[in-house]
Amino acid sequence: MDKGYFNLVDFRANGVPYQLFVRNADTLLHILREELGLMSVKPGCENGDCGSCTVLMDNVPVNACHMLAVEADSHHITTIEGLEDTKLQEAFIANHALQCGYCTPGFILNAHALLSHHPDADEQKINEWLESNICRCTGYQEIKEAIQTVQKELEGNG
Amino acid sequence: MTERPLSVVGHFVTRVDGYDKAYGRTKYTADVSLPETLHVQMLTSPYAHAKINHIDTSRIWDVQGVRAVVTGNDFPIRVGPLVADRMPLAVDKVRYYGEPVALVIANKPHQAKAACNKIKVSYEQLPVINSPQEAMQNESVLIHEQLNDYKLQVEGICAVPNTNIANHTKIRKGDMEKGWKNSDKIVEAEFSFSPSDHAALETRAVRAEILPDGRVMIYTSSQGPFYVKKLLSQFLKIDEGKISVQTSMLGGAFGGKGCVQLEFLAYLASKAVGGKMVRLVNSREQDMVTSPVHIGLHAKVKLGADSAGKLQAASYEFLFDGGAYSDMGAGISKAGAVDCTGPYKIDNVHCDSYCMYTNHPYATSFRGFGHPEQAFAMERTMDMLAKELAMDPLELRMINAIKPGDTTPTQVHLNASNLGDLPSCLRKLKTLTDYKETKSKITKEGKIRTIGISAFWKTSSTPPNATAGVILTFNTDGSINLNCGAVELGQGSKTVLAQILAERLQMDMKKINVTFEVSTEYDPHQWKTVASSTTYLAGRAVLAAADDIIRQLKQIGSVALRCSPDDLNVGQRLIYLKDSPEYNMKIKDVVVAYKYPNGNSVGGLVIGKGSHVVRHLTPLDPHTGFGKPGPQWTVGAQAVETEYDPKTHAYRIIKAATVLDAGKVINPALAIGQMRGGMYLGLSWASRESFSFDEQAIVCNPSFRSYDVMRIQDHPDYLVDFVETPLVDGPYGARGIGEYGVIGMAGALANSLSQASSCNINQLPIIPETIWKLTKGDKQ
Ligand code: FES
Ligand code: FES
């Protein structure tokens, strides 16, 4: 086989260093799921339209389906398995912001990044950030409420 | 049971699957990836109607890793749930854009994909049927030339040979002539919308393996694992006991995962590679068009009322766009007919409901099963009638609301148990939405705010022998395992069932483990997880199993505590004497045999079992529709408030409200979530979701890039309230509620915007362009 089709990537996923040979055409989504077994990263469209594959790259949300694995080289990737701040998870449960749960990791990671960049995001900012993610089960209002609950808690503690 | 206040049922309880989901630990079907698994890729049709002259697969072997290829001739057998009309892989001709034509199996997904592209199919295009009206009128194009020879799978489906009619359901009630004569006002209108999609976020996926002794193992994202087993057994001619179907949790379904499609393909693929484990996962595009879709409809409605607004007569013609194969479409056309009047008393009813074959992707159940579709047409006509009568739309619904003592279109007698209380729902809706009169308000910016309303009802069209079962086993610490065949799709069924059990056994929810996966090997049979029937069917089975446990515990308790079983109560993890609870013993000490101080043991394992079957349902009379299609009717009322800009025809949905007669709300938070989610799905569908077809019936928008869905910035404020009129034989009085939030949304949205724009919006989806065209049309 032509070796030119493959490349070495060196990156961290949830703090763990990995060195992998990947096909140049492999998406980050594919590698995270099939090679690393991080199955919380969900394919929903593999076209950048639904946000269910959202992961954090150096704390910025990206669609893992829209990135090549080779682009992750020397970056830090976080999936929900590696998300240590659990306030959002608890808030999603308490606010019934999840039903089937398929969209949930993507929403939580995106919301986590939002709150770390803009802790006092107003409704419009929340909309702008989470517009990329589709949920087909809830009415979205629950998701927004979950995020706002966490904002209030953070304010209280801050 | 003694009368005591409910401590778990009716209370807020967190979902039993909440933690796994919030932490990303839930495994859906495609999340299991075992080494040695081979990957299947489908080749699908680029045409909507074409003859297949030749398939050349010789070039696929140029691709490394290719293991096998399967085409239609490898399994030329027609399958289907109601009419056996569909070959799993097309043979001789394709009938819709996206139809599976061949499968390639390879070591890696990208290899299978590359090889698929190397298959050459020579097609000869045929004229297409691009709408259900065309299907009815154009008799020269038949989609199924051999419809006559197809096997009907169930009673009550009437396919008409030499036409494109997959099913015709007739309702004939009362005397139409008299009804029209008594009508002072008559309105007539036509309605239409194209097929759309469920678009569950998890695309359908399946793994299959055939073991050396012939056992078939299927792992699938299905709402009906037992149904998959049944159909595979029937069409593959394999004993049911040799087929095992397993379903983990589903990433949404909305009715779309009740069909059996990919399972056949995965079986054929596995067979082609000597029974090895294969995996087939839909891409989003395939999930949208290759797998079944949400049905389209063209409807004609005519309503007559006397001058006081009392409905006198109603006639309906429904042409459902069932697509290329009938799947559940034939059943949807029946379900739409049996409830065609909506929740109103009408004595004279005439309905012809057809499921038409067209060259569109084929339809299967969608949340609400024929009702959101039928209700859109009916509720719009009600508003048109209200306008004609110069009457308030809510008032018109109130005076015609169906009540105990009335009959349904198929002449089922309604009573205070099998029918919910619509007038109470309408009254609550009024308060909830602050509904004064429906006249629009103009905002400072010149936008028009309007509330539109709708009312709905639905029965669960289950087969007359739909069942569910439950098995309860104990752990040695006294905690309990609940096994049943209900699939968790996000609706929260597993939580609700655990609550019912906790209530009956007076036990802490934390001491109940619910198995999330369903396996046809170790779970008791359940028809399907559809039709909002799980709380009722499986809930009743839970109660029966709990009572079975209580009986056994009292039996053993009576030996150990030296009294009669009748003297005992069970609860709080104890078996105790009713009048002197200080005489008690721990449940955990008897569930794996009770041991006397001297070491002798009695009892054995305590294992509970329970089941329930729907009662007294009958098939419909083919000439009049007379018959009992479902056990009970849940009713409700809804409202949508919009803010419409008359200059641009753009609008925002401000509020959406539902008041539902739930019988008994078992878990308020889950029930509210179901209503919100239902409203979202209904509004997203009515406001933007639709497939667009070109002249050749090709779907132009099979992806989330071009198929629009509501996103977070679009959501309205959701208002939810309940009425509780108990269903006497429901668990704690509960009725089915899962589908209902969706039903009246399209009607309420269209009513609101029709009023705001002063034109009749009788088609979906309602995008600004739809309104613009209508207002322009009115002016010309
Ligand atoms: S799967 Fe990546 S955005 Fe949809
Ligand atoms: S919870 Fe199912 S898609 Fe969001």
Side-chain angles (χ1 to χ4, degrees):
Chain A
M1 182 180 296
D2 187 342
K3 296 257 175 10
Y5 282 121
F6 288 82
N7 249 305
L8 182 72
V9 282
D10 188 338
F11 67 107
R12 279 173 183 266
N14 299 330
V16 181
Y18 288 94
Q19 289 194 325
L20 296 173
F21 270 105
V22 302
R23 285 190 327 126
N24 289 345
D26 280 337
T27 60
L28 178 61
L29 171 68
H30 179 80
I31 294 301
L32 292 176
R33 285 176 60 85
E34 304 297 329
E35 300 291 328
L36 271 52
L38 297 170
M39 290 297 183
S40 69
V41 191
K42 303 292 186 213
C45 67
E46 301 194 63
N47 197 37
D49 302 327
C50 75
S52 62
C53 66
T54 304
V55 297
L56 305 182
M57 184 158 90
D58 309 327
N59 211 23
V60 173
V62 295
N63 288 332
C65 73
H66 243 194
M67 277 190 54
L68 295 173
V70 291
E71 292 177 280
D73 193 62
S74 70
H75 289 289
H76 288 252
I77 303 294
T78 309
T79 69
I80 202 159
E81 286 93 341
L83 197 63
E84 266 147 32
D85 170 11
T86 62
K87 282 199 181 65
L88 274 165
Q89 284 95 327
E90 300 292 331
F92 267 61
I93 298 168
N95 286 278
H96 285 256
L98 55 83
Q99 289 190 23
C100 81
Y102 200 83
C103 68
T104 311
F107 268 103
I108 289 184
L109 286 162
N110 202 349
H112 175 80
L114 164 66
L115 293 184
S116 62
H117 292 268
H118 306 279
D120 45 9
D122 59 6
E123 183 165 358
Q124 197 188 337
K125 182 81 82 225
I126 296 177
N127 285 345
E128 273 166 27
W129 272 63
L130 297 186
E131 184 188 17
S132 53
N133 293 54
I134 293 177
C135 174
R136 292 292 281 171
C137 303
T138 70
Y140 290 112
Q141 201 176 5
E142 304 87 323
I143 296 177
K144 206 177 269 176
E145 284 160 1
I147 296 168
Q148 287 163 342
T149 316
V150 173
Q151 279 181 313
K152 275 193 210 106
E153 270 175 49
L154 292 177
E155 258 169 47
N157 296 344
Chain B
M1 293 295 290
T2 48
E3 291 287 333
R4 61 179 168 80
L6 300 175
S7 57
V8 191
V9 160
H11 293 266
F12 177 98
V13 172
T14 4
R15 306 179 63 100
V16 292
D17 51 0
Y19 278 85
D20 290 0
K21 286 178 174 174
Y23 288 82
R25 296 296 281 274
T26 297
K27 294 272 176 290
Y28 304 87
T29 302
D31 292 343
V32 178
S33 168
L34 302 169
E36 309 259 307
T37 302
L38 302 177
H39 297 267
V40 187
Q41 178 67 40
M42 283 188 268
L43 177 73
T44 63
S45 161
Y47 300 113
H49 202 191
K51 250 167 70 183
I52 302 174
N53 285 330
H54 181 65
I55 304 181
D56 174 8
T57 59
S58 57
R59 295 278 313 284
I60 62 164
W61 305 103
D62 300 352
V63 179
Q64 204 202 19
V66 170
R67 307 289 280 262
V69 59
V70 185
T71 61
N73 286 326
D74 294 323
F75 187 74
I77 296 190
R78 290 196 172 83
V79 304
L82 305 177
V83 185
D85 59 5
R86 185 178 62 83
M87 309 253 190
L89 289 168
V91 174
D92 298 335
K93 75 172 190 173
V94 290
R95 296 180 173 86
Y96 70 98
Y97 168 74
E99 179 163 2
V101 172
L103 304 172
V104 174
I105 303 102
N107 295 342
K108 299 273 178 203
H110 71 270
Q111 297 166 335
K113 214 172 198 169
C116 252
N117 293 336
K118 300 212 174 244
I119 299 178
K120 289 211 166 60
V121 186
S122 94
Y123 292 102
E124 188 182 319
Q125 275 183 264
L126 297 168
V128 299
I129 297 283
N130 211 354
S131 74
Q133 301 97 292
E134 248 176 78
M136 187 56 106
Q137 286 147 14
N138 187 345
E139 283 172 4
S140 63
V141 181
L142 287 186
I143 293 170
H144 292 271
E145 298 85 350
Q146 293 149 32
L147 184 54
N148 208 7
D149 307 331
Y150 291 178
K151 189 166 158 272
L152 296 185
Q153 293 274 93
V154 295
E155 232 182 304
I157 296 294
C158 303
V160 185
N162 304 316
T163 69
N164 289 313
I165 300 171
N167 177 47
H168 179 190
T169 300
K170 292 183 201 169
I171 307 284
R172 307 285 184 263
K173 178 187 171 189
D175 177 348
M176 294 312 291
E177 216 175 302
K178 189 172 131 210
W180 297 130
K181 223 170 43 223
N182 292 342
S183 301
D184 299 306
K185 293 275 185 222
I186 293 177
V187 290
E188 255 186 290
E190 291 194 29
F191 303 88
S192 65
F193 49 86
S194 288
S196 50
D197 198 35
H198 312 80
L201 207 48
E202 176 210 23
T203 63
R204 297 160 177 99
V206 57
R207 284 175 288 126
E209 169 174 39
I210 307 167
L211 296 172
D213 64 358
R215 277 179 300 145
V216 178
M217 312 297 286
I218 305 278
Y219 306 82
T220 177
S221 55
S222 169
Q223 286 174 266
F226 293 89
Y227 198 66
V228 171
K229 182 169 79 162
K230 179 179 160 184
L231 289 202
L232 290 188
S233 161
Q234 186 183 351
F235 292 108
L236 301 173
K237 307 247 178 304
I238 300 172
D239 291 342
E240 275 205 37
K242 290 212 137 199
I243 302 174
S244 159
V245 182
Q246 297 187 35
T247 292
S248 48
M249 299 225 249
L250 303 192
F254 319 116
K257 288 173 179 164
C259 58
V260 186
Q261 183 198 31
L262 299 188
E263 293 85 353
F264 280 108
L265 299 179
Y267 168 83
L268 296 175
S270 174
K271 197 168 164 214
V273 290
K276 290 201 173 55
M277 176 75 90
V278 299
R279 181 184 195 217
L280 172 58
V281 182
N282 269 352
S283 67
R284 173 55 56 193
E285 291 74 10
Q286 289 165 342
D287 209 56
M288 281 192 156
V289 294
T290 298
S291 286
V293 303
H294 172 199
I295 209 159
L297 175 68
H298 182 89
K300 286 186 195 160
V301 181
K302 184 174 166 189
L303 288 182
D306 65 17
S307 53
K310 281 262 181 201
L311 290 166
Q312 300 297 326
S315 89
Y316 305 85
E317 185 190 79
F318 296 140
L319 301 183
F320 280 97
D321 185 349
Y325 300 100
S326 64
D327 200 77
M328 293 308 288
I332 296 169
S333 58
K334 177 181 143 195
V338 303
D339 286 342
C340 60
T341 55
Y344 308 112
K345 173 184 158 64
I346 310 180
D347 290 335
N348 307 302
V349 182
H350 182 108
C351 173
D352 284 304
S353 182
Y354 301 91
C355 177
M356 302 305 301
Y357 284 121
T358 66
N359 290 117
H360 290 164
Y362 70 100
T364 192
S365 344
F366 175 84
R367 193 174 188 177
F369 205 62
H371 291 70
E373 299 78 15
Q374 154 267 317
F376 166 61
M378 180 62 189
E379 290 303 305
R380 272 298 300 134
T381 318
M382 285 295 278
D383 258 40
M384 292 168 73
L385 180 65
K387 198 171 168 193
E388 197 63 29
L389 289 158
M391 204 169 178
D392 178 78
L394 200 145
E395 188 54 30
L396 178 66
R397 286 166 174 90
M398 189 66 103
I399 64 170
N400 287 293
I402 197 154
K403 296 196 187 70
D406 298 336
T407 61
T408 74
T410 68
Q411 303 175 48
V412 178
H413 284 274
L414 296 167
N415 58 46
S417 166
N418 70 8
L419 175 71
D421 180 354
L422 181 61
S424 295
C425 292
L426 285 166
R427 275 191 291 272
K428 270 201 170 176
L429 185 75
K430 231 171 157 169
T431 331
L432 189 65
T433 57
D434 199 15
Y435 180 97
K436 299 269 164 27
E437 84 285 26
T438 53
K439 274 201 216 79
S440 307
K441 281 189 276 252
I442 316 262
T443 66
K444 281 202 293 297
E445 298 80 29
K447 299 197 178 140
I448 306 174
R449 276 205 182 208
T450 319
I451 297 183
I453 59 156
S454 63
F456 60 83
W457 72 343
K458 180 182 180 295
T459 190
S460 307
S461 299
T462 63
N465 60 353
T467 50
V470 163
I471 296 171
L472 302 174
T473 53
F474 278 98
N475 301 304
T476 49
D477 63 353
S479 62
I480 207 163
N481 307 311
L482 194 168
N483 279 64
C484 89
V487 176
E488 179 60 54
L489 355 147
Q491 82 284 42
S493 280
K494 301 275 185 186
T495 308
V496 164
L497 295 177
Q499 276 181 274
I500 294 174
L501 181 62
E503 185 66 57
R504 190 69 136 207
L505 294 179
Q506 296 179 52
M507 199 169 173
D508 183 355
M509 276 285 284
K510 293 206 180 70
K511 298 288 173 204
I512 296 173
N513 310 313
V514 194
T515 41
F516 292 136
E517 298 74 30
V518 173
S519 163
T520 61
E521 281 181 56
Y522 53 73
D523 287 312
H525 183 92
Q526 174 157 342
W527 166 56
K528 288 185 195 174
T529 305
V530 297
S532 312
S533 60
T534 297
T535 300
Y536 172 70
L537 277 178
R540 281 292 303 264
V542 167
L543 288 178
D547 290 346
D548 186 30
I549 290 254
I550 291 171
R551 190 187 47 75
Q552 295 174 48
L553 292 176
K554 285 184 178 173
Q555 191 68 44
I556 308 166
S558 71
V559 176
L561 293 169
R562 294 164 225 267
C563 61
S564 146
D566 294 341
D567 298 340
L568 295 171
N569 255 354
V570 171
Q572 315 307 336
R573 306 169 74 196
L574 297 174
I575 307 166
Y576 57 92
L577 266 175
K578 279 180 195 164
D579 51 0
S580 349
E582 64 276 21
Y583 290 91
N584 64 54
M585 58 194 305
K586 293 192 173 113
I587 289 180
K588 80 176 172 65
D589 293 335
V590 302
V591 292
V592 282
Y594 172 70
K595 203 152 114 201
Y596 287 102
N598 72 357
N600 295 170
S601 295
V602 290
L605 295 182
V606 175
I607 300 171
K609 66 172 169 51
S611 76
H612 195 69
V613 61
V614 292
R615 291 181 313 216
H616 302 150
L617 302 194
T618 57
L620 305 185
D621 180 277
H623 305 293
T624 63
F626 183 88
K628 189 172 179 200
Q632 70 92 20
W633 278 258
T634 299
V635 300
Q638 295 187 307
V640 171
E641 183 172 358
T642 58
E643 188 176 280
Y644 165 73
D645 181 343
K647 285 199 216 81
T648 63
H649 306 293
Y651 64 90
R652 270 195 327 127
I653 304 172
I654 310 280
K655 273 186 208 157
T658 299
V659 179
L660 183 85
D661 190 340
K664 171 78 197 167
V665 177
I666 305 237
N667 185 324
L670 285 178
I672 291 170
Q674 281 298 291
M675 293 308 117
R676 285 177 167 194
M679 288 191 268
Y680 154 72
L681 205 65
L683 288 173
S684 188
W685 166 55
S687 65
R688 62 202 77 200
E689 291 185 35
S690 174
F691 284 132
S692 59
F693 295 94
D694 71 7
E695 289 98 74
Q696 292 306 316
I698 308 291
V699 179
C700 304
N701 57 342
S703 82
F704 281 138
R705 185 68 49 93
S706 42
Y707 181 98
D708 197 14
V709 298
M710 267 172 77
R711 296 192 180 237
I712 197 162
Q713 70 276 23
D714 306 315
H715 78 77
D717 208 7
Y718 295 105
L719 309 170
V720 179
D721 205 348
F722 297 99
V723 168
E724 295 186 317
T725 312
L727 169 68
V728 172
D729 71 336
Y732 295 99
R735 301 174 186 274
I737 64 165
E739 298 165 285
Y740 291 83
V742 79
I743 299 177
M745 277 293 111
L749 178 71
N751 284 340
S752 147
L753 290 167
S754 293
Q755 193 165 325
S757 66
S758 310
C759 56
N760 286 317
I761 303 174
N762 293 350
Q763 69 207 63
L764 300 176
I766 312 175
I767 53 174
E769 189 184 332
T770 316
I771 312 178
W772 171 70
K773 279 188 189 150
L774 287 168
T775 48
K776 217 176 83 182
D778 281 357
K779 279 182 200 122
Q780 275 166 359

